Amino acid sequence: MIQAKGYAVQSAESKFEPFNFERRELGANDVLIEIQYCGICHSDIHQVRNEWQNSTYPMVPGHEIVGRIKQVGAEVSKFKEGDIAGVGCFVDSCRACENCADDFEQFCQKHLVLTYNSTEMDEKTPTFGGYSNQIVVDENYALKVSAEQNLANVAPLLCAGITTYSPLKRFGVGKGQKVGIVGLGGLGHMGVKLAVSMGADVTVFSTSPSKEQDARNLGAHNFVVTKDPENLAPLAGKFDFVLDTVSAAHDLNMYLNLLRTHGSMVIVGVPDKPAEVHAFSIIGNNRTLAGSLIGGIAETQEMLDYCAANNITSDVEIIPIQQIEEAYERTIKADVRYRFVIDMQTLA
Ligand code: NAP
Ligand code: ZN
């Protein structure tokens, strides 16, 4: 086995502590990645604190992983030693079901192997994520990352990037469309950059008045403070598409009301509590309310290539791993500009 070290929590109430564990020996199709950076997604926080009631411990979170290939298995063809690679939210799936065959591995009908808080295909061996020094992954579930971009800024693309790119593409967001992004955090700020790059007219809906200038610097054309619902009234029926990235329970109806005829709102945020949707919020204007979960491997690669070609990365605050707790507290307070990324060299 390969010895690995990282940071783990032992329960929903405990703090992070250094943790030694084992990665599997390299199989013929595996690559060993020396992790350089790992983003902190709000999903890490939800799972560390068992807010989705599906957590297993010890847990080493982290699914926005970028690093250098240290070693390749005998049959690996996609990577060679020294290449830069990324790992996102999942590391294996059955590769045979309808969804896997259609490049929607995230909906594998047999078993999706999430990067952490999950089990391998044997449904027994626990998986450990990217708050660690190295990871062994099947080459088919690792992404090619351009060495031209700043790797700390690329790491968040592996989750925040694909989670916002996928619904924008699926709903055909483009020139001439009015798009709303609700919540300016890790996902939200990527949603703004991507929607702007696709030619949309973008409005940010935020609870944080202090983020207005940042939103405009990210390319947003308009900024609306949502604490006073009156601010939304003049915008009713004006939007083609709204992407809701909010991590805590909130009223969906006020954002659905922004949609014009046949407009769509996609939920990607996963608050711990369910939301109430009034039928009138969707029957009016024949609106669509939809959801979206990350993206398959092919689409994730497409997104990384798109971001490299369009010079898009995440705005990050790089932290040493010893500051995870503080980073979590600040993320919960919506005080992150706009993604915390752990520099794995600080893992002594
Ligand atoms: P984040 O960086 O914490 O951003 C969330 C933003 O939501 C905050 O910055 C804040 O923006 C807003 N917000 C927070 N609390 C709020 C409240 N009580 N009322 C209204 N707005 C509030 O989180 P993230 O990493 O972007 O993740 C966002 C959500 O998406 C999480 O629930 C996460 O689990 C989920 N997620 C889903 C997928 C998927 O595949 N569907 C993938 C990754 C993450 P303002 O300051 O602008 O208001
Ligand atoms: Zn994530």
Side-chain angles (χ1 to χ4, degrees), residues 21-317:
F21 60 105
E22 290 177 333
R23 299 286 193 189
R24 66 170 179 265
E25 282 297 343
L26 230 59
N29 301 106
D30 287 338
V31 296
L32 174 63
I33 303 172
E34 184 173 30
I35 301 174
Q36 292 175 325
Y37 296 101
C38 184
I40 295 180
C41 177
H42 207 117
S43 302
D44 299 345
I45 304 176
H46 290 308
Q47 290 174 88
V48 160
R49 306 201 168 174
N50 199 19
E51 288 170 0
W52 296 338
Q53 270 122 52
N54 68 351
S55 296
T56 54
Y57 303 93
M59 186 190 298
V60 177
H63 59 207
E64 292 185 337
I65 300 168
V66 168
R68 188 175 295 276
I69 304 266
K70 212 168 145 184
Q71 209 183 322
V72 297
E75 276 159 41
V76 167
S77 58
K78 190 165 146 185
F79 297 98
K80 57 180 187 334
E81 214 184 297
D83 284 353
I84 305 297
V87 178
C89 297
F90 59 91
V91 289
D92 210 349
S93 64
C94 83
R95 310 168 194 217
C97 74
E98 212 173 25
N99 288 334
C100 284
D102 287 345
D103 291 328
F104 290 107
E105 299 91 348
Q106 72 270 38
F107 307 121
C108 177
Q109 291 163 336
K110 190 157 177 248
H111 180 59
L112 179 68
V113 181
L114 293 164
T115 306
Y116 68 89
N117 192 27
S118 178
T119 52
E120 298 285 359
M121 286 313 287
D122 64 7
E123 298 190 37
K124 282 200 290 269
T125 312
T127 57
F128 296 113
Y131 297 6
S132 60
N133 64 339
Q134 46 189 357
I135 188 167
V136 176
V137 190
D138 185 301
E139 63 167 336
N140 295 299
Y141 293 80
L143 289 304
K144 283 175 163 295
V145 170
S146 153
E148 309 278 294
Q149 289 179 298
N150 237 326
L151 297 188
N153 303 74
V154 170
L157 301 182
L158 275 305
C159 175
I162 182 60
T163 301
T164 48
Y165 178 87
S166 184
L168 292 170
K169 289 290 278 199
R170 174 154 67 106
F171 285 84
V173 164
K175 271 203 175 47
Q177 293 192 343
K178 247 181 130 49
V179 167
I181 304 286
V182 187
L184 194 65
L187 266 56
H189 93 291
M190 288 312 307
V192 171
K193 290 193 187 201
L194 290 164
V196 167
S197 78
M198 293 168 187
D201 181 275
V202 176
T203 299
V204 169
F205 293 91
S206 173
T207 59
S208 309
S210 64
K211 293 181 182 173
E212 173 158 7
Q213 193 52 51
D214 289 344
R216 294 190 188 276
N217 294 345
L218 292 166
H221 306 85
N222 198 4
F223 184 88
V224 176
V225 178
T226 53
K227 286 229 162 99
D228 183 359
E230 278 301 295
N231 293 343
L232 279 72
L235 300 173
K238 298 257 193 303
F239 284 77
D240 298 283
F241 182 82
V242 171
L243 185 65
D244 185 333
T245 75
V246 174
S247 53
H250 60 291
D251 179 22
L252 300 185
N253 301 285
M254 68 192 248
Y255 300 109
L256 284 164
N257 202 39
L258 295 168
L259 296 173
R260 68 202 294 265
T261 305
H262 297 144
S264 303
M265 170 155 135
V266 172
I267 307 272
V268 287
V270 191
D272 57 348
K273 301 214 172 51
E276 268 185 31
V277 173
H278 201 292
F280 280 121
S281 301
I282 47 176
I283 66 172
N285 284 359
N286 281 5
R287 293 169 178 131
T288 297
L289 175 60
S292 192
L293 180 73
I294 45 176
I297 292 292
E299 194 178 33
T300 304
Q301 190 63 61
E302 175 188 309
M303 175 277 309
L304 287 168
D305 297 346
Y306 175 88
C307 287
N310 290 278
N311 200 17
I312 295 171
T313 58
S314 172
D315 290 10
V316 305
E317 292 189 51

